[in-house]
Coordinates of all heavy atoms in Angstrom, one line a residue:
K223 N 0.6 -37.1 20.7 CA 1.0 -36.0 21.7 C 0.4 -36.4 23.1 O 1.1 -36.2 24.2 CB 0.4 -34.6 21.3 CG 0.7 -33.5 22.3 CD 2.2 -33.1 22.5 CE 2.5 -32.0 23.5 NZ 3.1 -30.9 22.9
H224 N -0.8 -37.0 23.2 CA -1.3 -37.4 24.4 C -0.6 -38.5 25.0 O -0.2 -38.4 26.2 CB -2.8 -37.8 24.3 CG -3.4 -38.6 25.5 ND1 -3.8 -37.9 26.6 CD2 -3.7 -39.9 25.6 CE1 -4.3 -38.7 27.4 NE2 -4.1 -40.0 26.8
I225 N -0.1 -39.4 24.2 CA 0.7 -40.5 24.8 C 2.0 -39.9 25.4 O 2.5 -40.3 26.5 CB 1.0 -41.6 23.7 CG1 -0.2 -42.3 23.3 CG2 2.2 -42.4 24.0 CD1 -0.1 -43.2 22.1
L226 N 2.6 -38.9 24.6 CA 3.8 -38.3 25.3 C 3.6 -37.6 26.5 O 4.2 -37.8 27.5 CB 4.4 -37.4 24.2 CG 5.6 -36.6 24.6 CD1 6.7 -37.6 25.1 CD2 6.1 -35.6 23.6
L227 N 2.4 -36.8 26.5 CA 2.1 -36.1 27.8 C 1.9 -36.9 29.0 O 2.3 -36.7 30.1 CB 0.9 -35.2 27.6 CG 1.0 -34.1 26.7 CD1 -0.4 -33.5 26.3 CD2 2.0 -32.9 27.2
T228 N 1.4 -38.1 28.7 CA 1.2 -39.1 29.9 C 2.5 -39.8 30.3 O 2.6 -40.1 31.4 CB 0.1 -40.2 29.6 OG1 0.6 -41.0 28.4 CG2 -1.2 -39.6 29.2
L229 N 3.5 -39.8 29.5 CA 4.7 -40.4 29.8 C 5.7 -39.4 30.5 O 6.5 -39.9 31.3 CB 5.6 -40.9 28.7 CG 4.8 -42.0 27.9 CD1 5.5 -42.3 26.5 CD2 4.9 -43.3 28.6
L230 N 5.5 -38.1 30.3 CA 6.5 -37.1 30.8 C 6.7 -37.1 32.2 O 7.8 -36.8 32.7 CB 6.2 -35.7 30.1 CG 6.4 -35.5 28.7 CD1 5.9 -34.2 28.2 CD2 7.9 -35.8 28.4
P231 N 5.7 -37.4 33.1 CA 6.0 -37.3 34.5 C 6.9 -38.4 35.1 O 7.5 -38.2 36.1 CB 4.6 -37.3 35.2 CG 3.6 -37.0 34.1 CD 4.3 -37.5 32.8
F232 N 7.0 -39.5 34.4 CA 7.6 -40.7 34.9 C 9.2 -40.5 34.9 O 9.7 -41.0 36.0 CB 7.3 -42.0 34.1 CG 5.9 -42.3 34.4 CD1 4.9 -42.2 33.3 CD2 5.4 -42.8 35.6 CE1 3.5 -42.5 33.6 CE2 4.1 -43.2 35.8 CZ 3.2 -43.0 34.8
P233 N 9.9 -40.0 34.0 CA 11.4 -39.9 34.2 C 11.7 -39.1 35.5 O 12.8 -39.5 36.1 CB 11.8 -39.1 32.9 CG 10.8 -39.4 31.9 CD 9.5 -39.6 32.7
K234 N 11.0 -38.1 35.8 CA 11.3 -37.4 37.1 C 11.0 -38.2 38.3 O 11.7 -38.4 39.1 CB 10.6 -36.1 37.1 CG 10.9 -35.2 38.2 CD 10.3 -33.8 38.3 CE 10.6 -33.0 39.5 NZ 10.0 -31.7 39.4
V235 N 9.8 -38.7 38.5 CA 9.3 -39.4 39.6 C 10.0 -40.7 39.8 O 10.3 -41.1 41.0 CB 7.8 -39.6 39.6 CG1 7.3 -40.7 38.7 CG2 7.2 -39.8 41.0
L236 N 10.4 -41.4 38.8 CA 11.0 -42.8 38.9 C 12.5 -42.6 39.3 O 13.1 -43.6 39.7 CB 10.9 -43.6 37.7 CG 9.5 -44.0 37.3 CD1 9.6 -44.7 35.9 CD2 9.0 -45.0 38.3
Q237 N 12.9 -41.4 39.3 CA 14.4 -41.2 39.8 C 14.6 -41.5 41.2 O 15.8 -41.8 41.6 CB 14.9 -39.8 39.4 CG 15.0 -39.5 37.8 CD 15.6 -38.2 37.7 OE1 16.2 -37.6 38.4 NE2 15.2 -37.7 36.4
S238 N 13.6 -41.3 42.1 CA 13.8 -41.4 43.5 C 12.8 -42.4 44.1 O 11.6 -41.9 44.3 CB 13.8 -40.0 44.1 OG 13.8 -40.2 45.6
K239 N 13.2 -43.5 44.5 CA 12.3 -44.4 45.3 C 11.8 -43.8 46.7 O 10.8 -44.0 47.0 CB 13.1 -45.7 45.6 CG 13.5 -46.5 44.3 CD 14.3 -47.7 44.6 CE 14.8 -48.3 43.3 NZ 15.6 -49.5 43.5
D240 N 12.8 -43.1 47.3 CA 12.6 -42.4 48.5 C 11.5 -41.3 48.4 O 10.6 -41.2 49.2 CB 13.8 -41.7 49.1 CG 14.8 -42.7 49.6 OD1 14.5 -43.8 49.9 OD2 16.0 -42.3 49.7
F241 N 11.5 -40.6 47.3 CA 10.5 -39.5 47.0 C 9.1 -40.3 46.9 O 8.1 -39.8 47.5 CB 10.8 -38.7 45.8 CG 9.7 -37.9 45.3 CD1 9.5 -36.6 45.9 CD2 8.9 -38.2 44.2 CE1 8.5 -35.8 45.5 CE2 7.8 -37.4 43.9 CZ 7.7 -36.2 44.4
I242 N 9.2 -41.3 46.0 CA 7.9 -42.0 45.8 C 7.3 -42.5 47.1 O 6.1 -42.4 47.5 CB 8.1 -43.3 44.8 CG1 8.4 -42.7 43.4 CG2 6.9 -44.1 44.7 CD1 8.7 -43.8 42.4
S243 N 8.1 -43.1 48.0 CA 7.7 -43.7 49.3 C 7.2 -42.6 50.1 O 6.2 -42.7 50.8 CB 8.9 -44.4 49.9 OG 8.5 -45.0 51.1
E244 N 7.9 -41.4 50.3 CA 7.5 -40.4 51.1 C 6.2 -39.6 50.7 O 5.4 -39.3 51.4 CB 8.6 -39.4 51.3 CG 9.8 -40.0 52.1 CD 11.1 -39.0 52.1 OE1 10.9 -38.0 51.6 OE2 12.2 -39.6 52.4
K245 N 6.2 -39.4 49.3 CA 5.1 -38.6 48.8 C 3.9 -39.5 48.6 O 2.7 -38.9 48.8 CB 5.5 -38.0 47.4 CG 4.6 -37.3 46.7 CD 4.7 -35.8 47.1 CE 3.6 -35.0 46.2 NZ 3.4 -33.7 46.7
F246 N 4.0 -40.6 48.1 CA 2.9 -41.5 47.7 C 2.5 -42.7 48.6 O 1.5 -43.3 48.5 CB 2.9 -41.8 46.2 CG 3.0 -40.6 45.4 CD1 4.2 -40.6 44.6 CD2 2.2 -39.6 45.2 CE1 4.5 -39.4 43.7 CE2 2.4 -38.5 44.5 CZ 3.6 -38.4 43.8
G247 N 3.6 -43.1 49.3 CA 3.4 -44.3 50.2 C 3.6 -45.6 49.5 O 4.1 -45.7 48.4
T248 N 2.9 -46.6 50.1 CA 3.0 -47.9 49.6 C 1.6 -48.4 49.3 O 0.6 -47.9 49.9 CB 3.8 -48.8 50.6 OG1 3.1 -48.8 51.8 CG2 5.2 -48.5 50.7
L249 N 1.4 -49.4 48.6 CA 0.1 -49.9 48.3 C -0.3 -51.0 49.5 O 0.5 -51.9 49.7 CB 0.2 -50.8 47.0 CG -1.0 -51.1 46.4 CD1 -1.9 -49.8 45.9 CD2 -0.9 -51.9 45.1
E250 N -1.5 -50.8 49.9 CA -1.9 -51.5 51.0 C -3.1 -52.5 50.7 O -4.0 -52.5 51.4 CB -2.3 -50.6 52.2 CG -1.3 -49.7 52.7 CD 0.0 -50.4 53.3 OE1 -0.3 -51.5 53.9 OE2 1.1 -49.8 53.2
R251 N -3.0 -53.0 49.6 CA -4.0 -53.9 49.1 C -3.2 -55.1 48.3 O -2.2 -55.0 47.9 CB -5.1 -53.4 48.3 CG -4.7 -52.6 47.0 CD -5.8 -52.3 46.1 NE -5.4 -51.3 45.0 CZ -4.7 -51.7 44.0 NH1 -4.2 -53.1 43.8 NH2 -4.3 -50.9 43.0
A252 N -4.2 -56.1 48.0 CA -3.6 -57.3 47.1 C -3.4 -56.6 45.7 O -4.0 -55.7 45.3 CB -4.5 -58.3 47.0
R253 N -2.4 -57.1 45.1 CA -2.0 -56.5 43.7 C -3.0 -57.1 42.7 O -3.6 -58.1 42.7 CB -0.5 -57.0 43.3 CG -0.5 -58.4 43.0 CD 1.1 -58.7 42.8 NE 1.2 -60.1 42.5 CZ 2.4 -60.7 42.4 NH1 3.4 -60.1 42.5 NH2 2.5 -62.0 42.1
W254 N -3.1 -56.2 41.6 CA -3.9 -56.4 40.4 C -3.0 -56.9 39.4 O -1.9 -56.4 39.2 CB -4.6 -55.2 40.0 CG -5.7 -54.6 40.9 CD1 -6.2 -55.2 42.0 CD2 -6.2 -53.4 40.8 NE1 -7.1 -54.4 42.5 CE2 -7.1 -53.2 41.8 CE3 -6.1 -52.3 39.9 CZ2 -7.9 -52.1 42.1 CZ3 -6.8 -51.1 40.1 CH2 -7.7 -51.0 41.1
D255 N -3.4 -57.9 38.5 CA -2.7 -58.3 37.3 C -3.0 -57.4 36.2 O -3.9 -56.4 36.3 CB -2.9 -59.8 37.1 CG -4.4 -60.1 36.5 OD1 -5.2 -59.2 36.4 OD2 -4.7 -61.3 36.3
Y256 N -2.5 -57.7 35.1 CA -2.7 -56.7 33.8 C -4.1 -56.7 33.6 O -4.6 -55.5 33.3 CB -1.9 -57.4 32.7 CG -2.1 -56.6 31.4 CD1 -1.3 -55.6 31.1 CD2 -3.1 -57.0 30.5 CE1 -1.5 -54.8 29.9 CE2 -3.2 -56.3 29.3 CZ -2.5 -55.3 29.0 OH -2.5 -54.5 27.9
D257 N -4.9 -57.8 33.5 CA -6.4 -57.8 33.1 C -7.1 -57.0 34.1 O -8.0 -56.2 33.8 CB -6.9 -59.2 33.0 CG -6.4 -59.8 31.8 OD1 -6.0 -59.2 30.8 OD2 -6.5 -61.1 31.7
A258 N -6.8 -57.2 35.4 CA -7.6 -56.3 36.4 C -7.3 -54.8 36.3 O -8.3 -54.1 36.3 CB -7.2 -56.8 37.8
V259 N -6.0 -54.6 36.0 CA -5.9 -53.0 35.9 C -6.6 -52.5 34.6 O -7.3 -51.5 34.7 CB -4.4 -52.8 35.7 CG1 -4.0 -51.3 35.3 CG2 -3.7 -53.1 37.0
R260 N -6.5 -53.3 33.5 CA -7.2 -52.8 32.3 C -8.7 -52.8 32.4 O -9.3 -51.8 32.0 CB -6.7 -53.7 31.1 CG -7.3 -53.2 29.7 CD -7.2 -54.3 28.7 NE -8.2 -55.4 29.0 CZ -7.8 -56.6 28.9 NH1 -6.7 -57.0 28.6 NH2 -8.7 -57.5 29.2
N261 N -9.2 -53.8 33.0 CA -10.6 -53.8 33.2 C -11.2 -52.8 34.1 O -12.2 -52.1 33.9 CB -11.0 -55.2 33.7 CG -10.9 -56.3 32.7 OD1 -10.9 -55.9 31.4 ND2 -10.8 -57.5 33.0
N262 N -10.5 -52.5 35.2 CA -10.9 -51.4 36.1 C -10.7 -50.0 35.4 O -11.6 -49.2 35.6 CB -10.0 -51.5 37.3 CG -10.4 -52.7 38.2 OD1 -11.5 -53.1 38.3 ND2 -9.4 -53.1 39.0
Y263 N -9.7 -49.8 34.6 CA -9.5 -48.6 33.8 C -10.7 -48.5 32.8 O -11.2 -47.4 32.7 CB -8.3 -48.6 33.0 CG -8.1 -47.6 32.0 CD1 -7.9 -46.2 32.5 CD2 -8.2 -47.7 30.7 CE1 -7.8 -45.2 31.6 CE2 -8.2 -46.7 29.8 CZ -7.9 -45.4 30.2 OH -7.9 -44.4 29.4

C-alpha cells in the first residue's frame, strides 16, 4: 500500500511538462546518477 501511495501522484503530475516547469522549475545543479540518489536517500 505504501508503494502504491508513493506512485499515485505521478500519473497526474507527469501529464503536463508545462505544469512541472511552472510549478517546480528546473534543476540548477549537476545531475546525480543512480548511486548518488540512492546514497543520498
Side-chain angles (χ1 to χ4, degrees):
K223 178 66 182 241
H224 169 72
I225 290 169
L226 174 60
L227 289 171
T228 62
L229 293 173
L230 288 176
F232 292 111
K234 183 175 180 181
V235 75
L236 290 174
Q237 287 181 27
S238 175
K239 297 173 189 180
D240 290 337
F241 172 79
I242 293 171
S243 181
E244 291 169 16
K245 179 90 173 164
F246 307 116
T248 57
L249 196 63
E250 302 297 332
R251 61 164 168 75
R253 69 183 180 191
W254 294 345
D255 69 4
Y256 178 88
D257 286 340
V259 171
R260 187 192 68 231
N261 291 338
N262 288 329
Y263 170 73

